[in-house]
């Protein structure tokens, strides 16, 4: 089930019960109106039968192929990685980069970075200063790539996506950018979600990080749910050691299930925390297992967060989790 956080946040939480991974897939809040549904194209009577026949024929052919070649299909669906080629940028790609537009360069290198091609991260780091004000990150293939990258299992890829994002919004990594955005944060409540998000991006890249942490902490009890939601996202982006405890508090106490879920996702998988930082949340999550005041959904998210952080295939048995932690915790 896909649950969309309200207020046009552009944020999607892929979570439907205790057996699904707790995954927050997020990018900048959507600032465009949703497209209208396209009208259905009605087939003419004469073509409808032909189309159905063609579809049935194709399905039959695929079934025959699968039955005749089971080993071939199984070979393509192995659980272990099966390299298709060397994970390295080809010489012709590197040679072609100078002739590409900034948008094309960013798209190519982001796609290669997501797929762990050697040299892609380094080329992004080298090229991104020249992309400021030259690329669009709100739409098209690059927007999709950045959304994938910010949820990558490699923090370097996530970092690269943040660098490209700042270039796309033409926001230099300096205190002046923070100053301007903070003024807008007070004067443009309609853009508050995006402003909190992009401030989190800047803070993660080392710009006024301590100052911005205070900005987010000032808003974790805001009456507005969306503001609290993006304060949780901002803390996850900053990824300071002290932010973990604040997010645990939001996960346990915020009155909105949307915000509680976002805080859980920031702790477990989303944002920019390292694996070691996330592991430091485990003792507090273990305490939450026995909190009788938690509603069933929040309690299920506790166990899901534990599974996502640790990778342990344990269900919702508190005793089993305590036993696992006693064997795997580091002194």
């Amino acid at each position: 089930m896909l649950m969309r956080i309200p207020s046009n946040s552009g944020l999607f939480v892929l979570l439907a019960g205790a057996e699904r991974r707790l995954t927050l897939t997020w990018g900048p809040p959507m600032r465009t109106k949703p497209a209208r549904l396209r009208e259905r194209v009605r087939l003419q009577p004469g073509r409808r039968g032909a189309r159905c026949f063609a579809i049935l024929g194709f399905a039959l052919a695929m079934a025959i192929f699968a039955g005749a070649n089971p080993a071939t299909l199984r070979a393509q669906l192995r659980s272990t990685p099966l390299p298709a080629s060397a994970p390295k940028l080809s010489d012709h790609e590197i040679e072609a980069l100078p002739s590409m537009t900034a948008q094309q360069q960013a798209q190519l290198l982001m796609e290669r970075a997501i797929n762990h091609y050697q040299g892609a991260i380094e080329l992004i780091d080298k090229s991104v200063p020249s992309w400021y004000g030259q690329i669009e990150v709100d739409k098209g293939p690059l927007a999709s790539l950045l959304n994938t990258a910010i949820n990558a299992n490699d923090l370097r890829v996530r970092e690269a996506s943040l660098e490209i994002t700042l270039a796309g919004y033409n926001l230099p990594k300096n205190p002046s950018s923070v100053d301007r955005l903070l003024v807008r944060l007070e004067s443009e409540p309609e853009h508050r979600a995006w402003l909190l998000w992009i401030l989190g991006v800047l803070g993660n890249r080392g710009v006024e990080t301590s100052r911005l942490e205070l900005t987010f902490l000032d808003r974790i009890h805001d009456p507005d749910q969306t503001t609290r939601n993006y304060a949780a996202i901002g803390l996850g982006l900053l990824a300071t050691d002290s932010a973990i405890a604040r997010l645990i508090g939001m996960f346990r106490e915020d009155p909105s299930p949307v915000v509680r879920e976002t805080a859980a996702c920031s702790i477990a998988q989303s944002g920019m925390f390292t694996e070691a930082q996330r592991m430091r949340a485990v003792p507090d999550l273990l305490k939450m297992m026995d909190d009788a005041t938690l509603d069933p959904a929040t309690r299920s998210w506790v166990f899901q967060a534990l599974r996502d952080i640790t990778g342990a295939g344990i269900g919702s048995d508190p005793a089993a989790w305590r036993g696992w932690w006693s064997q795997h915790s580091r002194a």
Side-chain angles (χ1 to χ4, degrees), residues 21-26 79 81 110-117 121 145-161 268-276 278 308-309:
R21 289 183 65 81
L22 183 67
T23 304
L24 183 67
T25 304
W26 54 268
S79 59
M110 190 73 267
E111 187 274 330
R112 294 297 190 257
I114 290 169
N115 287 288
H116 305 296
Y117 275 57
I121 296 288
L145 288 168
L146 292 174
N147 194 58
T148 299
I150 196 58
N151 294 284
N153 62 355
D154 185 341
L155 273 179
R156 298 174 308 154
V157 176
R158 296 190 184 195
E159 290 170 352
S161 75
Q269 277 195 336
S270 303
M272 300 301 293
F273 290 114
T274 64
E275 182 181 19
R278 297 183 200 276
D308 287 343
I309 291 170

Side-chain angles (χ1 to χ4, degrees), residues 28 31 103 106 135-140 142-144 146-147 161 163-170 194 197:
R31 299 194 291 174
Q103 190 80 14
I135 59 177
E136 293 187 29
V137 294
D138 276 334
K139 59 185 179 181
L142 184 55
S144 298
L146 292 174
N147 194 58
S161 75
E163 292 286 350
I164 293 175
T165 294
L166 291 176
Y169 289 119
N170 200 21
W194 181 83
W197 175 79

Side-chain angles (χ1 to χ4, degrees), residues 82 95 141 242 305 329:
L82 186 64
E95 292 170 359
S242 55
S329 62

Side-chain angles (χ1 to χ4, degrees), residues 3-13 24-31 147 169 185 189-201 212-213 215-239 243 247 250 254 256 258-263 266 271:
M3 185 181 79
R4 167 172 280 191
I5 291 176
S7 302
N8 293 326
S9 62
L11 205 64
F12 297 89
V13 178
L24 183 67
T25 304
W26 54 268
M30 297 192 326
R31 299 194 291 174
N147 194 58
Y169 289 119
L185 187 63
E190 70 276 15
H191 298 141
R192 188 174 297 161
W194 181 83
L195 288 164
L196 287 169
W197 175 79
I198 199 67
L199 283 167
V201 174
L212 288 173
E213 185 169 12
T215 297
F216 295 129
L217 293 179
D218 284 343
R219 286 162 174 79
I220 61 175
H221 299 296
D222 193 279
D224 178 63
Q225 173 183 290
T226 300
T227 298
R228 300 197 310 275
N229 204 51
Y230 275 87
I233 291 171
L235 288 171
L237 281 168
L238 289 187
L247 287 166
M250 297 181 76
D254 195 276
S256 166
V258 170
V259 177
R260 293 198 300 273
E261 189 175 15
T262 296
S266 291

Side-chain angles (χ1 to χ4, degrees), residues 266-315:
S266 291
I267 295 165
Q269 277 195 336
S270 303
M272 300 301 293
F273 290 114
T274 64
E275 182 181 19
Q277 285 177 304
R278 297 183 200 276
M279 289 291 283
R280 292 175 199 150
V282 171
D284 286 317
L285 293 172
L286 293 178
K287 293 177 183 177
M288 288 180 67
M289 294 187 306
D290 301 317
D291 189 342
T293 66
L294 298 182
D295 64 279
T298 301
R299 192 169 187 274
S300 72
W301 297 336
V302 171
F303 293 108
Q304 191 61 64
L306 285 168
R307 284 190 287 272
D308 287 343
I309 291 170
T310 65
I314 302 173

Side-chain angles (χ1 to χ4, degrees), residues 79-97:
S79 59
T80 55
L82 186 64
S85 62
K88 184 178 180 181
L89 284 169
S90 65
D91 292 339
H92 79 271
E93 286 177 326
I94 296 174
E95 292 170 359
L97 279 173

